[in-house]
Amino acid sequence: MGKRKQVRVGPPPTTVEGFGDALLAATPGDADRLAPGFTLPAELAEAADRTGRQLIGRACRGGWLPEDLHQAARRRLDEFAGSYLLDTLAAYAGQFTAVHPDWQEQLEAAGAVRWWTETEPHLPQWAAKHILTPSEAVAAVIEAFGLLKTLPPVTVVLPAPGTPLERPVRHHVDEKKLSRVRALLAKAESSSFPEEAEALSAKAQELMTRHALDRVLVEAGEAAPDRPAARRIWLDTPYTDAKSLLVHVVATANRCRAVFDPRWEFVTVIGDEDDLDSVALLTTSLLVQATRAMITDPAGRSRDFRKSFLVSYAARIGERLEKAAEATIAQEPELLPVLASHEKQVAATFTELFPEVVSKSVTVRSHEGWGAGREAADRARLGE
């Protein structure tokens, strides 16, 4: 094996471009070899700011949203590199006056705000805020840049800052409906009575379906209904493949389509904006309920048991949600043609965004886990 070339991130580079190239080529270990007493040259700080904005810009134009970058940093970076990445994201977004409201909302939710003095380079201010030595600060910068360089293009869910909007901004969210659903699901998550939890979750699905039908009635007369939208739901490890099945069945019950990306452990869901809200709310609640039931089961200590539990849970939840949705739709049979047209639009958008989806199965190796998961799903609260 050949020797790894040592990359210097301090002098002798004398230009911003030279420092930028050195930062992109370096690894965090290179910062440990900086000379004692090393300080951050102004050119290095300027290069870090410029290079960071370029890398963030490439990622955002490649489909990455503030929430995506926040989640990727949380999983792949330490606290300091993640903080630096979010600051770089805030600096990038601050260059634009035209930012999609949902993109801006994600930016604020991730905590990416410009707090530093704009007339001075960001890096020294950031290092001082976190009480880092120059070498520690450089190591964090290199680590953050290393992640940004590896981000592949993903499906564009929202336009990046500075990109003209191709479709109108989403309709106003029905906060009254969402508040009722949230209240039902919060009560379901906190209840220690399985039957009550089951009734509450079922009621939440019924309410969401009822709201969707009302929306269909309003939109039936529109000449050009909104194009289906997309949203990503990030899953926490472990067992993300099994958890993605739960997102899939919830999406299907709410007239959406979903696809799992195992590289980054998120699910992209396609559907109407309001339906996407429903999927996100119900999925979050059911994952909480599933995890609580799984870890409290006396037999649920092995990985095979827990994965089988989650797969079975998702399958049974899908049956229950579909039944609840069908019962509500059956009360409005005249809407079936409109719903069929809607589902066709969602399917077409899904195929457009994901033309090469591959179906994969999830192996179940524990009969005990399968049975326990199904029992837990029968007890899960879907709403009341």
Side-chain angles (χ1 to χ4, degrees):
M1 293 179 62
K3 293 183 179 180
R4 183 169 65 87
K5 181 180 179 181
Q6 179 174 338
V7 180
R8 300 186 62 178
V9 293
T14 57
T15 65
V16 171
E17 290 75 14
F19 276 110
D21 292 341
L23 287 170
L24 288 173
T27 63
D30 292 318
D32 296 334
R33 291 186 287 275
L34 293 173
F38 170 80
T39 58
L40 292 171
E43 294 85 354
L44 174 59
E46 182 182 346
D49 290 350
R50 176 182 296 182
T51 304
R53 288 194 296 270
Q54 291 174 345
L55 290 173
I56 284 281
R58 184 180 69 179
C60 292
R61 291 188 297 274
W64 288 78
L65 303 177
E67 172 64 9
D68 301 327
L69 292 169
H70 176 56
Q71 292 289 349
R74 187 169 70 86
R75 288 162 169 78
R76 307 291 176 92
L77 302 177
D78 66 17
E79 174 187 357
F80 298 117
S83 167
Y84 183 80
L85 187 148
L86 288 180
D87 275 9
T88 304
L89 176 61
Y92 166 75
Q95 302 174 99
F96 302 94
T97 56
V99 179
H100 191 287
D102 291 348
W103 204 99
Q104 181 66 36
E105 183 179 336
Q106 286 196 23
L107 186 73
E108 295 169 358
V113 296
R114 289 181 292 172
W115 54 267
W116 58 94
T117 301
E118 300 286 350
T119 55
E120 300 292 334
H122 163 262
L123 180 56
Q125 299 180 68
W126 174 81
K129 177 182 178 181
H130 292 280
I131 320 178
L132 299 178
T133 65
S135 61
E136 290 171 337
V138 170
V141 170
I142 295 171
E143 185 179 354
F145 288 178
L147 172 63
L148 290 172
K149 288 192 299 181
T150 66
L151 297 180
V154 294
T155 302
V156 176
V157 171
L158 293 173
T163 304
L165 301 181
E166 295 182 357
R167 62 186 180 89
V169 176
R170 64 178 295 176
H171 293 307
H172 176 68
V173 176
D174 189 336
E175 289 295 346
K176 183 177 179 180
K177 184 266 296 187
L178 287 182
S179 295
R180 290 183 62 192
V181 171
R182 288 192 186 102
L184 289 169
L185 296 177
K187 190 175 180 181
E189 294 165 24
S190 63
S191 176
S192 57
F193 299 101
E195 293 78 9
E196 182 187 19
E198 177 179 352
L200 287 168
S201 296
K203 184 63 177 180
Q205 180 62 65
E206 177 186 338
L207 178 62
M208 292 185 293
T209 303
R210 180 68 264 170
H211 174 75
L213 293 178
D214 292 341
R215 188 183 69 246
V216 166
L217 283 172
V218 172
E219 297 176 351
E222 295 183 359
D226 285 346
R227 184 176 185 270
R231 188 176 304 180
R232 279 188 279 273
I233 297 177
W234 285 76
L235 302 173
D236 289 328
T237 57
Y239 319 116
T240 52
D241 53 349
K243 292 175 180 177
S244 71
L245 294 178
L246 184 61
V247 183
H248 172 75
V249 299
V250 174
T252 301
N254 287 279
R255 300 154 300 283
C256 299
R257 298 283 298 273
V259 60
F260 176 52
D261 188 330
R263 299 171 301 172
W264 294 93
E265 298 168 335
F266 60 70
V267 180
T268 304
V269 186
I270 311 298
D272 284 352
E273 292 282 8
D274 286 350
D275 291 337
L276 295 178
D277 289 336
S278 298
V279 171
L281 284 172
L282 190 51
T283 295
T284 301
S285 176
L286 289 171
L287 282 173
V288 169
Q289 295 182 59
T291 301
R292 181 177 61 194
M294 179 181 66
I295 63 178
T296 56
D297 193 299
R301 297 186 180 276
S302 72
R303 289 184 60 86
D304 285 347
F305 177 96
R306 293 188 171 187
K307 186 170 183 177
S308 299
F309 180 103
L310 290 171
V311 172
S312 175
Y313 183 92
R316 178 55 180 154
I317 285 294
E319 295 171 3
R320 293 184 56 206
L321 292 180
E322 184 178 1
K323 181 178 179 180
E326 288 178 349
T328 304
I329 293 173
Q331 301 173 19
E332 304 284 352
E334 69 277 8
L335 294 180
L336 289 176
V338 181
L339 289 174
S341 176
H342 162 88
E343 292 177 1
K344 185 176 181 180
Q345 290 179 333
V346 171
T349 301
F350 181 86
T351 301
E352 176 187 340
L353 295 177
F354 301 99
E356 299 180 353
V357 172
V358 176
S359 298
K360 291 188 176 181
S361 59
V362 180
T363 303
V364 173
R365 293 190 172 91
S366 170
H367 292 294
E368 293 79 6
W370 178 272
R374 191 168 183 86
E375 291 176 5
D378 283 333
R379 296 192 302 266
R381 303 176 71 162
L382 303 179
E384 184 171 67

